[in-house]
């Protein structure tokens, strides 16, 4: 039985969807570009059963994949839950069986298995495609293979035994020059362990290099960055311990006394060649892009000055307030003797932690960073909605060469989600293509998908769903050449 009446936050637009859907030939406005041939996949958390304990956090909820399939100027929609082991077991039991976020000790005795925390993943974070295979990922478990046409869950994979970690990041990176994929898993050998497993897959999906190493202290390692010569893994701020989990708490707390850290790993080196650079209290949850220039490794990323997680208790106490979060350039000098990195604020405009680039420039010199942010000069009724206050009303394109911000406003009652960059077929110039991203419209109780011409940042079309849709974590566009699309 599903009883959500105790969940004050899950009302109206934010009630879980709990249905699967197909919409043939979606309603659209404007002109859907005819040469768009591919699919925009999204992963969103959507509780099948209410959380238990009731204050468990949204990051823990069931994964749901949706897809907007574009071809010839029309769009079809499909949405399906990811059939994880956890999802199937709850469905059979008709109730919530799993406890706090990443704390298996709080699970129902019938499913409790702290030695194999990957069995409780919800695969709710990022759609990933490599070597023609689509995955639903989450950093606490193995990737789940998904049929790119039916969204049927095929199941978790350890890549035929080649993946030597319990978990796999939700943010692997693909080298646009070689087609290789770099990915890591942390807490790789068990709950709270300091072990990280890092591997590079060739363009066919075979593991060609692997590393095993320890982080300075166990922390959330959410994203990574890739240059032609280095892998960068940022971490820090979040802390955990087996004692904490035995006490029945959620996985992370925030410790403002801890330094941020960044592992810089030479792609052609060994684990002993890793350099750990330290910085002040920071949260670098996502990265924008990075490059290696001689003896300098340069990372551009949104960075928060303090705890960005409203759900994770601050060990220093006090009420949560959203910290400043801006785009920064963080530089690692490989010639330096000390292990400090330097940081410069690139743009003062506060942004959300979601940034994207034209992935054809990943790891290379580049110019544009795409963001979602709240433009305070635009009329916005969404901002006064308590659950939309930290949302965004605009997509933006920062030009890191000129400092210019070009923006596209999503509407007075809309809350925008992470934009993805879609290259124009046949083009190679950076930024030639579209931005595509969802806009939630609580005023009409429906989700909309915006398609924006990236060079001009002018909206060209919208896809309108006849229902609301959960707040996504990440979205990704894969062209018809990247996945076997029907
Ligand atoms: C993030 C999201 C997660 C998670 C850890 O956006 C970090 C960051 C949706 O799940 O488990
Ligand atoms: Fe993420």
């Amino acid at each position: 039985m599903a009883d959500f009446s105790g969940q004050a936050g899950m009302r109206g637009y934010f009630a879980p969807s709990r249905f699967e859907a197909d919409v043939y030939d979606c309603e659209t406005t404007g002109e859907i570009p005819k040469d768009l041939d591919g699919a925009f996949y999204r992963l969103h958390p959507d509780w099948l059963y209410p959380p238990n304990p009731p204050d468990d956090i949204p990051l823990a909820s069931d994964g749901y994949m949706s897809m907007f399939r574009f071809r010839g100027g029309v769009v079809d929609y499909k949405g399906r839950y990811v059939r994880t082991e956890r999802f199937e077991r709850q469905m059979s039991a008709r109730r919530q069986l799993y406890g706090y976020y990443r704390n298996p000790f709080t699970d129902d005795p019938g499913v409790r298995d702290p030695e194999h925390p990957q069995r409780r993943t919800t695969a709710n974070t990022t759609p990933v495609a490599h070597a023609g295979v689509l995955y639903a990922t989450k950093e606490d478990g193995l990737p789940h293979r998904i049929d790119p046409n039916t969204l049927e869950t095929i199941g978790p994979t350890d890549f035929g035994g080649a993946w030597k970690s319990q978990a796999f990041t939700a943010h692997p990176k693909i080298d646009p020059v070689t087609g290789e994929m770099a990915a890591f898993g942390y807490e790789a050998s068990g709950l709270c362990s300091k072990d990280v497993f890092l591997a590079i897959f060739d363009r066919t999906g075979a593991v060609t290099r692997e590393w095993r190493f320890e982080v300075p202290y166990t922390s959330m390692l959410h994203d990574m960055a890739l240059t032609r010569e280095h892998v960068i893994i940022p971490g820090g701020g979040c802390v955990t311990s087996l004692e904490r989990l035995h006490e029945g708490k959620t996985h992370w707390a925030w410790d403002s006394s801890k330094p941020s850290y960044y592992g810089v790993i030479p792609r052609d080196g060994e684990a002993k060649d890793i350099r750990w650079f330290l910085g002040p209290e920071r949260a670098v949850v996502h990265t924008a892009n990075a490059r290696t220039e001689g003896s300098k490794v340069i990372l551009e990323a949104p960075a928060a000055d303090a705890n960005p997680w409203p759900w994770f208790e601050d060990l220093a106490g006090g009420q949560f307030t959203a910290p400043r979060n801006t785009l920064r350039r963080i530089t690692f000098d490989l010639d330096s003797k000390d292990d400090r990195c330097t940081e410069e604020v690139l743009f003062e405009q506060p942004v959300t932690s979601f940034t994207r680039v034209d992935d054809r420039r990943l790891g290379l010199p580049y110019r544009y960073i795409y963001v979602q942010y709240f433009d305070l000069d635009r009329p916005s009724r969404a901002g006064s909605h308590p659950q939309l206050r930290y949302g965004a009303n605009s997509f933006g394109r920062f030009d890191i060469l000129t400092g210019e911000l070009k923006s596209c406003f999503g509407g007075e009652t809309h809350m925008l989600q992470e934009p993805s960059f879609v290259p124009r077929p046949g083009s190679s110039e950076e930024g030639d293509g579209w931005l595509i991203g969802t806009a939630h419209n609580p005023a009409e109780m429906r989700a909309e998908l915006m398609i924006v011409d990236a060079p001009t940042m002018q909206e060209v079309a919208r896809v309108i769903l006849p229902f609301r849709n959960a707040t996504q974590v990440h979205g990704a566009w894969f062209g018809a050449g990247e996945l076997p699309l029907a």
Side-chain angles (χ1 to χ4, degrees), residues 41 69 129 131-134 145-149 479-486:
Y41 294 90
R69 171 75 168 104
V133 181
L134 177 66
R145 286 188 62 169
I146 306 288
D147 182 302
N149 294 300
E482 292 172 86
L483 285 173
L485 292 176

Side-chain angles (χ1 to χ4, degrees), residues 45 59 101 124-125 138-139 220 222 285-286 309 354 473-474:
L59 300 184
Y101 178 65
N124 70 0
T125 310
K138 184 175 180 70
E139 67 193 55
M220 181 193 286
H222 181 65
V285 180
H286 292 112
W309 305 102
F354 298 93
V473 187
H474 293 286

Side-chain angles (χ1 to χ4, degrees), residues 298-372:
I298 300 159
L299 169 68
E300 275 131 7
D305 292 331
N307 181 16
W309 305 102
W311 314 294
F312 300 145
E313 139 202 37
D314 199 317
L315 295 179
Q319 274 294 112
F320 175 80
T321 48
R324 178 178 73 142
N325 192 67
T326 51
L327 281 168
R328 323 263 171 112
R329 174 173 295 142
I330 301 166
T331 304
F332 312 102
D333 182 353
L334 299 173
D335 285 343
S336 74
K337 293 283 174 290
D338 75 18
D339 284 336
R340 308 300 297 185
C341 52
T342 57
E343 178 192 280
E344 158 198 358
V345 173
L346 280 181
F347 298 96
E348 294 291 342
Q349 170 64 52
V351 293
T352 70
S353 97
F354 298 93
T355 55
R356 299 296 284 271
V357 297
D358 178 340
D359 285 331
R360 297 173 297 183
R361 289 294 186 279
L362 197 98
L364 302 168
Y366 75 110
R367 182 163 179 183
Y368 301 118
I369 301 178
Y370 301 101
V371 298
Q372 37 156 181

Side-chain angles (χ1 to χ4, degrees), residues 343-421:
E343 178 192 280
E344 158 198 358
V345 173
L346 280 181
F347 298 96
E348 294 291 342
Q349 170 64 52
V351 293
T352 70
S353 97
F354 298 93
T355 55
R356 299 296 284 271
V357 297
D358 178 340
D359 285 331
R360 297 173 297 183
R361 289 294 186 279
L362 197 98
L364 302 168
Y366 75 110
R367 182 163 179 183
Y368 301 118
I369 301 178
Y370 301 101
V371 298
Q372 37 156 181
Y373 73 103
F374 207 102
D375 184 345
L376 292 169
D377 295 331
R378 293 295 203 150
S380 194
R381 286 190 282 132
S384 60
H385 189 294
Q387 282 162 307
L388 299 182
R389 202 173 297 138
Y390 301 112
N393 64 4
S394 300
F395 291 144
R397 187 190 76 177
F398 281 115
D399 183 333
I400 64 171
L401 292 187
T402 65
E404 186 199 13
L405 168 64
K406 244 179 149 55
S407 95
C408 178
F409 176 59
E412 205 172 311
T413 61
H414 293 70
M415 184 190 78
L416 276 50
Q417 303 248 277
E418 177 187 55
S420 292
F421 180 82

Side-chain angles (χ1 to χ4, degrees), residues 58-75:
L59 300 184
S61 53
D62 301 294
Y64 189 107
M65 194 179 271
S66 59
M67 123 190 235
F68 293 88
R69 171 75 168 104
F70 286 71
R71 88 200 101 170
V74 297
V75 183

Side-chain angles (χ1 to χ4, degrees), residues 43 59 82 84-86 101-102 115-126 128 135-145 155-159 163-172 183-191 197 201 221-222 251-252:
L43 263 171
L59 300 184
V82 183
T84 58
E85 175 181 341
R86 171 174 173 146
Y101 178 65
R102 298 187 67 182
E115 295 299 312
H116 303 96
Q118 69 271 34
R119 293 182 65 190
R120 68 195 296 288
T121 189
T122 54
N124 70 0
T125 310
T126 316
V128 167
Y135 304 94
T137 61
K138 184 175 180 70
E139 67 193 55
D140 65 359
L142 292 174
H144 282 57
R145 286 188 62 169
T157 178
D158 66 358
F159 301 91
W163 190 255
K164 296 167 194 156
S165 163
Q166 293 188 335
F168 184 100
T169 178
H171 291 288
F184 69 91
Y186 74 100
E187 300 194 19
S189 56
L191 276 176
F197 177 73
F201 297 75
L221 308 182
H222 181 65
H251 199 83
W252 301 114

